[in-house]
Amino acid sequence: MKRSKIKALLERDTPIDNVLIKGWLRTKRDSKGFSFLEINDGSCLKNIQVIANESLENYENIKKLNIGSAVAVNGKVIKSPAPKQKWEVYADLIDIISITDESYPLQKKRHSDEYLRTIAHLRPRTNKYGAVFRIRSEIAYAIHKFFKEKGFFYIHTPIITASDCEGAGEMFQIVSNFDFFGKSANLTVSGQLSAELLALAISDVYTFGPTFRAENSNTRRHAAEFWMIEPEMAFYDLQENMELAEELILYLIKYALTNCAEDIELFAKFIDTNLIKTLDTISNSTFIKISYKEAINILIKSGKKFEYDIKFGIDLQSEHECFLSEEYFKSPVIIYNYPKSIKAFYMRLNDDNETVAAMDVLVPRIGELIGGSQREERLDILEYRMDEIGLPKNKYWWYLDSRRFGSVPHSGFGMGFERLIMLITGITNIRDVIPFPRTPNNLEF
Ligand code: 4AD
Ligand code: MG
């Protein structure tokens, strides 16, 4: 007996006499003398239709099955007479693995996103969330594939750290029942500083892992726990850094359009009717690249009323970012050379002593997808910047050592994985692209 996932079965070119499938009942329709069971095992969006004949010895029990019950079906794969499906399974034996009753919260009607968040332990069983989590998996794979093809090394950076990479003070503290580390410890906000040390040894590296931020911002784009992809490259300048970021995004969108087509079509049908057009346009675009100064000028000249006033020196808010990429350029935009006052200590100081070699990639509907920079490789200037900001240099002795010995120009960036998945699916709330989101006042499941 050959056990098959439904995806593999639906992709077959030839029928088979004997197959075993296991999955959950999505719908059932009883007819005279037999029933149609729609079975889904999560391997793909589509169900397989199973025909249960009344001659089955447990037919009376099968007839009573509710949505969500689990079954194992032995049978023949035959050509389906129905036009919407290629194959169906004529059951020789149906084993009932478990049964649900009418209290099962996922009934056949459409449920709201808000309601489904309250049953996040069950929502992966819906078409929409099954598709989201399959896409997450495919795209995570594509990210590794992209970097592997470019000769990058996948590195693992610590989750428990004693340093604040971004210097924004948004760290979760870690406590134990005794003073475990002999110093205060926190969950990492970014693996960058460690990634830099590896890049200064094996050149091109990336880390892809969970990061944590205690920002008290209850927005659609912020989670307290999210995944970040952080490449770090020795001998790259800001220009090369921007080009890599662009290449990565284009690669991933094309990958999704080719390899997740069925799931993306579901989002195009129910979430965002322009989705495929938007993704196609992005994947054929060249990203606009403008300096922060130019961006500020465009925002001022636009005459548009923003909640936050525009002047040189402000941090761009999501309303500004969305205006630039969604309304003004209608394309992804990379903004570079930000004022040093609003960016982290490690970014390379430009000759104007006012801006740093930072870059943010903004995309339609999401705003900031990537933040990165060329790093300050000059020891004296790095120390000067740390003093200026008031960072304790002795705490970062190891980081400064990397500039003391064999320092070279290098660059990198961080891409928010959830925001990428939002871009690819058209989903507008970060809570709906991560299985069990962590946000202020929300630590269920
Ligand atoms: O711009 P950020 O803060 O950059 C860094 O952490 C750098 N150290 C990365 C690097 O250069 N290696 O964060 C990078 C990206 C953002 O552009 C955004 O997409 C995502 O991480 N991000 C969040 N995603 C979800 N929830 C949050 N609270 C996020 N904060 C940042
Ligand atoms: Mg940022």
Side-chain angles (χ1 to χ4, degrees), residues 94-366:
I94 297 182
D95 239 346
I96 298 172
I97 302 174
S98 71
I99 47 179
T100 56
D101 59 24
E102 287 87 6
S103 66
Y104 185 55
L106 292 173
Q107 292 304 325
K108 227 195 128 186
K109 63 172 188 154
R110 236 176 129 195
H111 299 287
S112 73
D113 293 338
E114 289 74 17
Y115 171 66
L116 289 170
R117 272 174 223 147
T118 69
I119 52 165
H121 57 308
L122 297 173
R123 69 177 179 171
R125 300 181 190 191
T126 63
N127 281 343
K128 177 177 169 186
Y129 290 89
V132 173
F133 302 134
R134 278 190 297 271
I135 290 180
R136 264 188 90 103
S137 170
E138 292 298 317
I139 299 305
Y141 170 75
I143 287 164
H144 289 300
K145 187 162 149 42
F146 174 85
F147 286 115
K148 175 78 186 162
E149 285 166 7
K150 290 208 151 296
F152 279 60
F153 296 108
Y154 173 35
I155 57 160
H156 303 100
T157 50
I159 287 174
I160 302 177
T161 92
S163 54
D164 179 359
C165 173
E166 293 307 292
E170 290 157 348
M171 299 177 302
F172 286 102
Q173 305 290 320
I174 299 175
V175 290
S176 46
N177 41 19
F178 63 99
D179 187 13
F180 192 95
F181 294 108
K183 56 165 83 171
S184 107
N186 50 268
L187 294 175
T188 186
V189 295
S190 158
Q192 178 195 322
L193 302 187
S194 318
E196 282 187 55
L197 305 181
L198 273 296
L200 291 173
I202 54 176
S203 293
D204 295 338
V205 301
Y206 71 103
T207 166
F208 181 3
T211 46
F212 308 87
R213 294 193 186 179
E215 291 165 285
N216 195 12
S217 41
N218 230 326
T219 79
R220 295 158 166 274
R221 332 182 293 157
H222 290 90
E225 177 178 297
F226 60 100
W227 285 62
M228 216 201 287
I229 298 101
E230 296 183 89
E232 191 68 38
M233 297 75 66
F235 313 109
Y236 268 52
D237 63 16
L238 185 67
Q239 184 63 34
E240 293 167 301
N241 199 25
M242 294 195 277
E243 281 163 16
L244 183 76
E246 174 170 356
E247 196 184 334
L248 173 64
I249 295 173
L250 295 180
Y251 180 95
L252 295 175
I253 291 181
K254 286 191 185 119
Y255 188 93
L257 286 168
T258 322
N259 295 280
C260 312
E262 188 184 59
D263 287 330
I264 287 180
E265 274 162 29
L266 177 85
F267 296 115
K269 202 162 152 201
F270 293 110
I271 309 282
D272 173 3
T273 47
N274 284 322
L275 181 64
I276 293 174
K277 200 169 135 244
T278 308
L279 294 178
D280 265 334
T281 311
I282 295 177
S283 75
N284 290 308
S285 67
T286 310
F287 291 10
I288 311 278
K289 300 182 185 71
I290 54 168
S291 70
Y292 169 90
K293 264 196 188 113
E294 293 171 85
I296 291 291
N297 283 335
I298 290 171
L299 289 166
I300 291 173
K301 281 204 201 115
S302 77
K304 219 179 138 82
K305 199 91 200 89
F306 294 106
E307 197 182 325
Y308 293 85
D309 277 346
I310 319 286
K311 59 174 193 289
F312 186 89
I314 61 149
D315 205 355
L316 295 182
Q317 302 296 320
S318 84
E319 54 173 349
H320 308 133
E321 294 173 347
C322 287
F323 171 78
L324 287 168
S325 101
E326 204 162 320
E327 280 184 51
Y328 192 82
F329 289 113
K330 298 184 171 51
S331 144
V333 189
I334 307 186
I335 300 183
Y336 58 89
N337 289 349
Y338 281 77
K340 65 178 181 183
S341 55
I342 55 170
K343 290 290 184 187
F345 75 98
Y346 52 72
M347 297 191 180
R348 193 176 194 279
L349 190 62
N350 288 324
D351 292 342
D352 59 12
N353 193 23
E354 183 181 42
T355 59
V356 287
M359 62 111 176
D360 276 5
V361 181
L362 318 180
V363 293
R365 290 203 331 251
I366 310 293

Side-chain angles (χ1 to χ4, degrees), residues 366-424:
I366 310 293
E368 180 189 338
L369 173 64
I370 284 180
S373 66
Q374 183 170 342
R375 320 307 189 187
E376 184 54 78
E377 85 283 12
R378 298 160 297 185
L379 179 64
D380 53 335
I381 298 179
L382 185 59
E383 288 186 318
Y384 157 77
R385 286 284 291 139
M386 290 175 84
D387 286 339
E388 199 173 42
I389 288 169
L391 278 185
K393 289 198 299 261
N394 56 346
K395 245 187 97 177
Y396 290 87
W397 64 273
W398 44 274
Y399 190 69
L400 291 166
D401 254 9
S402 68
R403 276 42 175 189
R404 219 165 254 131
F405 309 116
S407 185
V408 299
H410 62 286
S411 302
F413 59 82
M415 174 165 72
F417 188 51
E418 283 73 21
R419 292 195 187 170
L420 173 71
I421 303 298
M422 289 166 73
L423 177 69
I424 290 173

